[in-house]
Amino acid sequence: MRFLERALRGPNEWWKYLLLPIIAFVIANTIGAIPLGIAMVFGAVKGGTLNPDNAGDLSGLGLDPNLSLFLLMFPFVIGLIGFILILKPFHKRSVKEVINGTHNIRWNRFFYSAVVWAIISGLMLFVDYSMNAEHYELNLNWSLFLPLIFISLLIIPFQTTFEELIFRGYLAQGVARWTRNRWMVAILPAVAFGLLHMFNPEVKEYGFWVAMPQYIIFGLVFGIMAVLDDGIETAMGAHAANNIFISIFVTAKASVLQTPALFLNNHVDPVKDLIMMTLAAILIIAILAKKYKWNFALMNQRVEGEKE
């Protein structure tokens, strides 16, 4: 085991684990947001307005939805670069060591997890559409849909990798360093991950106590996957597949991702979505556990010194 144990070596002052994520998010939302800011100014000059109910909806500014997606995701690219550049002088630790404690990334795990989550998501959408076809509106526009696929595959993995590196990687290692408790490694970053999304339009639309559990459970599942797999590649793959799938195949008026997706869901039931997401989470953990022979007893083991 090396992922969490890597944090037991090198500079690990507690304040660095607070400061580095803040710096990364500030970089993302200042330098990274410059192109978005410029586009919004031009849209406003032309008489456009923002959607007061959904900050992710830039259609009122006259922006192409695919361009909007790219501009909204671009800050995460810059934030990721900033995080990587600052990580080494802060902790004498490489980004690969944040991913799994070694100097190699297990890309096979990333892609396997991504494919499994995409298949599960596809089956869930198929079942729900079969049972509630009246809730869905076909939204196919080939001139927008084909570029959407390319842009989603290109840029969304930067957004999800940024979040996974900070929450399931970096902060998880910090929690392991100070608590030595693997359950805390999964739980505390999951709560922080949920709170990060508290201003998303879904939370405003459906209510804090209905929408927030989805984000926290989402983060908790990925945290458990990271602990059991001794690295965050499976979490990175599933997270990327989830957001790409939503971007391409189904959106809703309250969704933070306002894309020209294949379907528009006009009747979102957040409680049903929570139940379906929980079932999907159990399923992917079961599949990955069988594939990689995970030992669930590991969750109760204390994080000890790194074994060479």
Side-chain angles (χ1 to χ4, degrees):
M1 294 181 290
R2 295 177 179 269
F3 167 48
L4 300 177
E5 289 74 11
R6 176 60 186 87
L8 303 182
R9 295 190 288 112
N12 277 292
E13 294 84 355
W14 66 267
W15 56 267
K16 291 182 178 180
Y17 287 97
L18 294 178
L19 186 59
L20 181 49
I22 291 174
I23 293 175
F25 277 103
V26 168
I27 291 173
N29 289 287
T30 54
I31 299 174
I34 290 175
L36 174 61
I38 293 173
M40 291 175 68
V41 168
F42 274 103
V45 168
K46 294 179 180 179
T49 58
L50 285 172
N51 182 345
D53 297 320
N54 191 339
D57 181 7
L58 304 181
S59 60
L61 294 171
L63 296 180
D64 176 89
N66 287 322
L67 175 60
S68 297
L69 175 64
F70 182 86
L71 292 174
L72 288 168
M73 294 293 105
F74 183 73
F76 294 100
V77 178
I78 303 303
L80 178 61
I81 294 172
F83 174 81
I84 293 172
L85 291 177
I86 300 171
L87 175 66
K88 193 72 172 182
F90 258 46
H91 293 281
K92 303 296 186 286
R93 193 183 312 166
S94 71
V95 68
K96 292 180 181 178
E97 290 175 298
V98 172
I99 290 175
N100 61 25
T102 74
H103 297 286
N104 297 294
I105 300 175
R106 301 170 297 179
W107 288 110
N108 60 323
R109 277 167 150 79
F110 174 94
F111 288 110
Y112 184 83
S113 178
V115 170
V116 170
W117 189 268
I119 292 173
I120 292 173
S121 299
L123 290 173
M124 290 171 58
L125 177 60
F126 175 78
V127 170
D128 194 48
Y129 182 82
S130 299
M131 298 175 62
N132 305 288
E134 69 277 8
H135 296 167
Y136 291 88
E137 176 185 337
L138 185 62
N139 193 40
L140 181 60
N141 181 333
W142 287 110
S143 63
L144 293 175
F145 186 67
L146 292 178
L148 171 65
I149 296 174
F150 174 76
I151 292 172
S152 297
L153 292 171
L154 173 69
I155 195 111
I156 287 179
F158 286 99
Q159 176 247 328
T160 54
T161 297
F162 176 73
E163 293 184 353
E164 289 305 313
L165 273 175
I166 288 181
F167 291 99
R168 255 64 67 184
Y170 180 71
L171 290 180
Q173 287 180 331
V175 172
R177 171 71 175 82
W178 296 106
T179 70
R180 307 297 181 95
N181 187 299
R182 297 181 194 275
W183 280 108
M184 289 297 100
V185 166
I187 293 170
L188 294 183
V191 173
F193 177 77
L195 293 176
L196 175 71
H197 295 81
M198 67 185 298
F199 297 109
N200 276 23
E202 296 96 335
V203 177
K204 180 179 180 180
E205 177 72 15
Y206 308 121
F208 181 91
W209 297 109
V210 174
M212 192 54 57
Q214 294 194 33
Y215 294 110
I216 294 177
I217 292 174
F218 199 65
L220 178 61
V221 168
F222 290 162
I224 292 173
M225 287 165 56
V227 173
L228 292 175
D229 201 44
D230 200 28
I232 68 172
E233 292 96 338
T234 55
M236 289 168 57
H239 195 168
N242 180 79
N243 288 20
I244 290 171
F245 185 91
I246 292 172
S247 174
I248 293 175
F249 290 104
V250 59
T251 188
K253 291 182 179 179
S255 174
V256 70
L257 292 178
Q258 290 295 302
T259 66
L262 183 62
F263 291 105
L264 175 64
N265 187 345
N266 290 313
H267 187 81
V268 176
D269 183 344
V271 176
K272 179 186 71 177
D273 288 348
L274 176 61
I275 294 171
M276 293 178 68
M277 190 196 71
T278 302
L279 293 175
I282 294 171
L283 184 56
I284 192 172
I285 287 180
I287 292 172
L288 295 180
K290 181 176 178 60
K291 169 73 173 178
Y292 297 118
K293 298 179 172 58
W294 288 347
N295 179 12
F296 288 90
L298 177 66
M299 295 297 301
N300 297 318
Q301 295 180 14
R302 181 178 169 83
V303 179
E304 301 292 353
E306 183 174 9
K307 299 177 181 180
E308 297 294 345

